[in-house]
Amino acid sequence: MAPAQGTIAVTGSTGRLGGRVARRLAAAGAAQTLVVRDPSRAPALPGTRVATAAYGDGEAVRAALAGHRVVLFVSASEDPDRVGEHRTFVDAAVAAGVEHLVYVSFFGAAPDATFTHARDHWHTEEHVRGSGVAFTFLRDNLYLDFLPLLAGEDGVIRGPAGDGRFAPVALDDIADVTTAVLLDPAAHAGRTYDLTGPQALTLTEAATRLTAATGRTVTFHDETVEEAFASRAPYAAPDWLVEAWVSTYTAIAAGELDGVTDDVERLTGHPATGLEEVLSRAQRPAP
């Protein structure tokens, strides 16, 4: 069955960000198609239909997106060929007649970014720009919600970040911004938004605030780059992934994740959420 006119296609709805957006769109009464790899994992929401497609399957993507004008394009899972999958998705979206892509990118995306995944996002952005489709890029800083997970079982955050600062942003804030853009895409065509939290923190400051908010002692150990690679070796992860992990911290040290914007507040009407509120929300029972 073809989607109704005005239906928004949403990717990533089985994940933390896309799922939040899908729930917000449903609450707003927007019709949407959830494009997923595994239909059994798609959230059951009013006003939704489900289409099956993997980013790297151009034919399936084209079929899934046919009849949709606006698409939320959440970046694919980390993979050595992620940029290739993204390009296939974009090309298929254009072939399907999509008019506007809202792409979830990364803060400081650039061809020479220290954080390796930020380079992937830049290459994807460039491919979208070259496709001729209207676009909006949402460049998120690191997720504030994941900050507690940086600490190991011993409560130590390890990485070569030095005294560099970063401005992590809450997933709920990103979802609020994304929903606002999807519901009025023409107002945001051609725009790039840098989404940050309300403060730029060093990891030492973040550890202190985590300790105060949770009661668990959290500290930061500033590793050398060599120590960082060695401490992650037991995970037996592929080299490209370990490099990505380590470069998250070296990007902070280089100042590439520093800087606070008011984009969240301008687009949502509410201030960006701070660390303590994110931690408080996480402890509340689900409605």
Side-chain angles (χ1 to χ4, degrees):
M1 182 172 61
Q5 186 175 6
T7 299
I8 301 166
V10 174
T11 67
S13 65
T14 61
R16 294 180 180 89
L17 177 57
R20 281 173 162 83
V21 174
R23 291 191 293 274
R24 283 163 169 77
L25 288 174
Q32 57 183 316
T33 297
L34 307 180
V35 181
V36 297
R37 289 177 297 176
D38 181 357
S40 69
R41 296 183 58 214
L45 297 168
T48 63
R49 59 192 291 273
V50 176
T52 305
Y55 284 178
D57 186 341
E59 184 176 345
V61 171
R62 181 172 179 174
L65 298 184
H68 297 84
R69 294 179 55 250
V70 181
V71 175
L72 171 60
F73 177 19
V74 177
S75 55
S77 301
E78 297 170 352
D79 185 90
D81 190 37
R82 178 158 68 162
V83 175
E85 292 183 1
H86 285 178
R87 286 172 174 160
T88 297
F89 181 89
V90 171
D91 292 346
V94 172
V98 170
E99 299 175 12
H100 193 134
L101 285 174
V102 178
Y103 175 60
V104 181
S105 185
F106 190 78
F107 191 92
D112 58 350
T114 299
F115 181 39
T116 58
H117 290 328
R119 301 173 206 164
D120 291 351
H121 288 292
W122 182 85
H123 287 295
T124 300
E125 288 185 1
E126 287 298 289
H127 195 71
V128 172
R129 290 180 190 275
S131 72
V133 71
F135 64 84
T136 306
F137 297 145
L138 307 178
R139 290 183 169 183
D140 311 335
N141 209 287
L142 295 177
Y143 292 158
L144 189 56
D145 309 61
F146 292 178
L147 199 52
L149 303 180
L150 296 180
E153 292 183 2
D154 58 359
V156 180
I157 300 173
R158 293 179 170 83
D163 293 324
R165 293 183 176 275
F166 66 120
V169 59
L171 278 165
D172 281 333
D173 287 350
I174 302 170
D176 287 345
V177 167
T178 304
T179 303
V181 171
L182 290 170
L183 292 176
D184 189 14
H188 306 282
R191 302 295 300 273
T192 298
Y193 297 113
D194 291 323
L195 306 184
T196 75
Q199 293 177 305
L201 305 169
T202 67
L203 279 171
T204 297
E205 292 169 346
T208 299
R209 290 176 62 173
L210 283 169
T211 298
T214 66
R216 177 195 184 199
T217 300
V218 179
T219 59
F220 169 59
H221 172 61
D222 184 26
E223 294 179 309
T224 66
V225 172
E226 292 74 17
E227 287 173 337
F229 277 97
S231 66
R232 288 154 179 79
Y235 293 102
D239 291 346
W240 65 268
L241 185 54
V242 176
E243 183 180 2
W245 291 342
V246 174
S247 68
T248 307
Y249 295 91
T250 53
I252 293 173
E256 294 177 16
L257 301 186
D258 194 3
V260 174
T261 77
D262 65 351
D263 285 351
V264 167
E265 184 165 7
R266 288 193 301 109
L267 293 169
T268 68
H270 66 72
T273 308
L275 174 60
E276 288 75 14
E277 175 60 20
V278 166
L279 294 173
S280 175
R281 290 178 185 175
Q283 294 170 0
R284 296 172 194 163

